[in-house]
């Protein structure tokens, strides 16, 4: 069998792999990217979890459900009376699929434009710089052989399953299933009040489902600033999400109309019956079919590929990036690793600043943050000052009718350097970029306080929160 040689072979075309591939090609490296994903239409589809069943389709449905909720709940406040608001879930799903199709085909276009060779199939490590591309997973068909000095594994992650709630794809589903419901379930339970569970719960709640979210932990969003998390919990409950903490799923039983969900609280065992159950208890590294064991690729106890500070695995010339190596399971984290690694392979000094990775939870209002929380700083014994400013006192937020939430900025007690920025409020996902930029430039809260912000904008809450660090906010 003929072997084709490349400078870099990348296994996986999610946001980590496809971005790495494009950057490698930009840097003049002969690059191939192998991906096995099959889209909704049964055709190969680039973009991995993020574009096919993650970031993008979830935001498409979040936006559709947001508009619906606005029409039915907020339009009146703006003096708009809508006689009849009809929901067409099939049309929403069609719109979602169209967006996914456009973006995934867009990556194919980018590969062609930038000179990345796209290979469809499953990539398997053979050792000594060799990779086999199997046209169909498990088919046993003869594949292509590739050789390369550099192999990047970017095979991503899959949802974690629970033995007590086996996913059947119709009544009990994972996040992918919850993005594909053909109609609004009347009663929906979500296991896990994490980033994904809250997003999906919000979509179906806004469209009219009665949503119960069961969370095993007794605290809500423990990695989020706890004052903001507490406020978010109240707001989400007011929106109708029945979020129950200290509620661990212990079993499920199919019924005629849906599924009975049994869970344990601190004091008692409870049960509810729902039409659909979503299991959203996190994601695990995906290395199946990669041949990791055969070539001795080191994985940690949780199945993540072990890498050093420069994304090198224990095998010579083999690297790994993205969800498959753990850390924040975020698309932009994987993409940044892809860029930095490509640059290192090309002899440059690619680097990822893990301290300035933004996090977003796409509820409404959104929760977004970068840097450390007060809880973390207290644990570390770092002295700090905080400035807090509510959206309620921001003119633009008032004009929008979006007055819930606040911005908190944390500065180092001695140096005033920004240590963390935490936002619960409208378009927090966009606002957080300013904070990331400030932290990337090692800015102080004083720098932010002296930065002119356009009026009237939501970003003025960032400005005022920075002023508040020094007790000189103007509008409160
Ligand atoms: P993946 O995107 O999982 O891609 C891996 C690719 O490798 C896949 O195409 C897979 O088919 C392929 N592959 C695996 N094994 C092989 C093999 N042996 N051969 C060939 N191909 C292989 N993150 C955000 O930052 N923002 C969000 O808003 C966000 N929303 C999300 C919403 C949902 C519902 C979900 C599920 C996730 C969301 N995420 C979000 C997380 C984000 O999708 C992941 O962090 C991201 O996709 C990880 O990128 P990756 O490239 O490492 O892996
Ligand atoms: P994330 O990792 O952000 O996707 O969040 C997943 C959430 O699911 C975490 O907050 C876990 O505590 C929660 N979880 C895990 N297992 C269970 C379970 N059996 N019952 C309820 N919640 C769970």
């Amino acid at each position: 069998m003929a072997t084709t040689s490349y400078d870099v072979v990348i296994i996986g075309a999610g946001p980590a792999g496809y971005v790495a591939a494009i950057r490698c090609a930009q840097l003049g490296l002969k690059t191939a990217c192998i991906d096995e994903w099959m889209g909704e239409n049964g055709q190969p589809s680039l973009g991995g979890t993020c574009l096919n069943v993650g970031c993008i389709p979830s935001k498409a449905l979040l936006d559709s459900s947001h508009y619906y909720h606005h029409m039915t709940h907020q339009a009146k406040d703006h003096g708009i009376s809508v006689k009849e608001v009809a929901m067409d879930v099939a049309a929403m799903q069609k719109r979602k699929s169209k967006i996914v199709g456009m973006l995934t085909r867009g990556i194919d276009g980018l590969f062609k434009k930038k000179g990345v060779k796209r290979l469809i199939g499953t990539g398997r490590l053979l050792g000594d710089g060799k990779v086999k591309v199997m046209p169909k997973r498990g088919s046993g068909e003869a594949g292509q052989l590739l050789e390369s000095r550099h192999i990047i594994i970017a095979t991503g992650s899959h949802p974690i399953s629970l033995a007590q709630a086996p996913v059947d794809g119709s009544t009990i589903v994972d996040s992918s299933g919850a993005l594909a419901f053909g109609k609004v379930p009347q009663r929906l339970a979500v296991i896990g009040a994490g980033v994904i569970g809250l997003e999906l719960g919000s979509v179906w709640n806004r469209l009219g489902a009665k949503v119960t979210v069961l969370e095993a932990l007794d605290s809500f969003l423990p990695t989020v600033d706890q004052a903001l998390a507490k406020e978010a919990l109240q707001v989400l409950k007011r929106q109708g999400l029945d979020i129950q903490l200290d509620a661990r799923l212990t079993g499920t039983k199919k019924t005629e109309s849906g599924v009975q969900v049994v869970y344990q609280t601190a004091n008692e065992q409870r049960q509810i019956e729902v039409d659909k159950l979503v299991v959203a208890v996190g994601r695990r590294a995906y290395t199946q079919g990669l041949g990791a064991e055969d070539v001795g690729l080191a994985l940690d106890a949780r199945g993540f590929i072990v890498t050093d500070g420069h994304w090198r695995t224990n095998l010579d010339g083999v690297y790994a990036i993205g969800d498959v190596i753990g850390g924040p399971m975020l698309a932009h984290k994987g993409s940044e690793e892809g860029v930095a690694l490509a640059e290192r392979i090309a002899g440059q000094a690619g680097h990822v600043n893990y301290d300035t990775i933004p996090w977003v939870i796409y509820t409404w209002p959104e929760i977004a943050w970068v840097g450390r929380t007060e809880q973390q700083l207290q644990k570390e014994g770092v002295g700090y000052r905080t400035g807090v400013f509510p959206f309620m006192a921001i003119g633009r937020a008032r004009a929008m009718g979006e007055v819930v939430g606040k911005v908190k900025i944390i500065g180092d007690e001695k140096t005033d350097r920004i240590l963390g920025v935490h936002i619960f409020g409208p378009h927090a996902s966009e606002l957080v970029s300013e904070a990331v930029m400030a932290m990337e430039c090692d800015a102080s809260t004083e720098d932010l306080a002296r930065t002119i912000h356009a009026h009237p904008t939501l970003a003025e809450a960032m400005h005022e929160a920075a002023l508040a660090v020094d007790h000189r906010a103007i509008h409160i």
Side-chain angles (χ1 to χ4, degrees):
M1 192 185 295
T3 305
T4 317
S5 295
Y6 290 92
D7 294 324
V8 187
V9 165
I10 296 164
I11 307 177
Y18 90 73
V19 171
I22 289 175
R23 188 73 188 113
C24 284
Q26 278 176 340
L27 290 161
L29 298 161
K30 186 181 173 198
T31 306
C33 186
I34 311 164
D35 195 89
E36 63 177 10
W37 194 285
M38 289 294 157
E40 292 187 321
N41 55 5
Q43 293 301 311
S45 182
L46 294 168
T49 303
C50 174
L51 267 74
N52 289 285
V53 293
C55 324
I56 298 300
S58 62
K59 295 331 159 276
L61 291 184
L62 273 164
D63 275 332
S64 297
S65 62
H66 188 67
Y67 278 120
Y68 176 76
H69 199 262
H70 243 271
M71 294 290 172
T72 48
H73 289 75
Q74 274 118 320
K76 213 166 74 198
D77 294 345
H78 289 266
I80 303 167
S81 71
V82 186
K83 288 255 156 26
E84 197 188 330
V85 183
M87 186 200 313
D88 182 346
V89 176
M92 283 181 193
Q93 293 289 13
K94 211 168 144 195
R95 174 182 177 273
K96 177 202 82 179
S97 301
K98 197 172 156 197
I99 294 163
V100 167
M102 266 181 326
L103 292 172
T104 54
R105 282 194 303 276
I107 299 177
D108 192 34
L110 286 172
F111 274 8
K112 288 191 181 108
K113 185 171 158 196
K114 313 270 181 185
V116 175
K117 175 72 182 166
R118 174 184 180 183
L119 297 168
I120 296 164
T122 303
R124 190 177 180 83
L125 301 170
L126 298 181
D128 294 329
K130 294 204 167 46
V131 175
K132 191 166 184 183
V133 189
M134 316 289 288
K136 272 201 200 115
R137 182 170 275 267
S139 70
E141 287 175 42
Q144 286 185 65
L145 273 185
L146 315 177
E147 65 180 2
S148 180
R149 272 184 46 218
H150 307 284
I151 298 166
I152 303 177
I153 303 168
T155 49
S157 62
H158 274 199
I160 292 177
S161 50
L162 289 176
Q164 305 91 323
V167 166
D168 61 17
S170 66
T171 316
I172 305 180
V173 298
D174 58 18
S175 56
S176 305
L179 289 170
F181 289 151
K183 62 178 195 179
V184 181
Q186 272 185 3
R187 302 160 303 172
L188 175 73
V190 178
I191 309 300
V195 175
I196 293 174
L198 290 176
E199 265 187 48
L200 296 171
S202 292
V203 166
W204 297 108
N205 177 53
R206 286 175 201 165
L207 296 179
K210 182 184 175 328
V211 179
T212 307
V213 182
L214 302 177
E215 168 56 54
L217 299 176
D218 60 4
S219 61
F220 183 60
L221 295 174
T223 57
V224 174
D225 174 274
Q226 279 304 285
L228 296 195
K230 219 167 148 190
E231 189 177 345
L233 180 59
Q234 282 170 356
V235 171
L236 295 176
K237 280 186 170 176
R238 271 208 303 276
Q239 289 173 0
L241 284 171
D242 177 14
I243 300 171
Q244 301 191 26
L245 302 178
D246 207 353
R248 177 174 292 277
L249 175 88
T250 53
T252 51
K253 197 168 154 224
K254 295 276 186 62
T255 62
E256 240 167 62
S257 61
V259 56
Q260 198 146 48
V261 179
V262 185
Y263 60 100
Q264 183 70 43
T265 67
N267 312 316
E268 56 177 352
Q269 193 173 67
R270 290 189 200 159
Q271 55 187 52
I272 47 170
E273 195 176 338
V274 292
D275 305 304
K276 303 272 184 195
L277 173 65
V278 182
V279 180
V281 293
R283 298 178 65 81
R284 61 178 171 79
Y286 185 71
T287 51
Q288 249 176 48
L290 193 61
E293 251 182 47
D294 299 345
V295 293
L297 179 70
L299 307 182
D300 71 13
R302 293 163 65 207
F304 291 109
I305 297 177
V306 178
T307 53
D308 68 8
H310 293 149
W311 308 286
R312 288 179 293 221
T313 69
N314 63 317
L315 304 176
D316 225 22
V318 180
Y319 312 80
I321 54 173
D323 278 10
V324 78
I325 66 167
M329 287 178 140
L330 296 168
H332 43 281
K333 174 261 191 189
S335 299
E336 282 308 306
E337 289 173 342
V339 167
L341 174 56
E343 290 172 355
R344 293 200 81 83
I345 287 173
Q348 300 182 359
H351 170 75
V352 174
N353 183 357
Y354 286 97
D355 293 336
T356 57
I357 294 179
W359 288 81
V360 181
I361 305 178
Y362 292 87
T363 48
W364 191 267
E366 293 170 342
I367 305 167
W369 74 99
V370 57
R372 284 173 285 174
T373 58
E374 284 193 67
Q375 304 96 267
Q376 279 173 306
L377 292 168
Q378 283 160 13
K379 249 196 212 151
E380 292 167 21
V382 178
Y384 62 86
R385 298 186 306 160
T386 61
V388 178
F389 197 84
F391 283 99
M392 198 174 62
I394 292 294
R396 186 68 197 274
R398 284 263 171 212
M400 291 166 72
E402 297 288 354
V403 293
V404 169
K406 49 176 71 81
V407 174
K408 179 189 281 185
I409 296 188
I410 310 177
D412 187 285
E413 191 178 37
K414 289 198 188 94
T415 64
D416 193 39
R417 179 172 297 162
I418 299 173
L419 300 175
V421 177
H422 305 270
I423 311 165
F424 174 49
H427 301 295
S429 58
E430 303 293 340
L431 295 173
V432 77
S433 291
E434 177 184 5
V436 176
M437 179 68 168
M439 287 186 68
E440 188 59 41
C441 296
D442 256 341
S444 60
T445 72
E446 181 67 19
D447 289 325
L448 210 49
R450 296 209 173 268
T451 301
I452 303 170
H453 289 70
H455 175 74
T457 58
L458 295 173
E460 286 175 291
M462 303 283 285
H463 187 215
E464 290 271 20
L467 287 165
V469 173
D470 217 16
H471 308 290
R472 55 191 162 107
I474 302 294
H475 291 94
I476 204 153

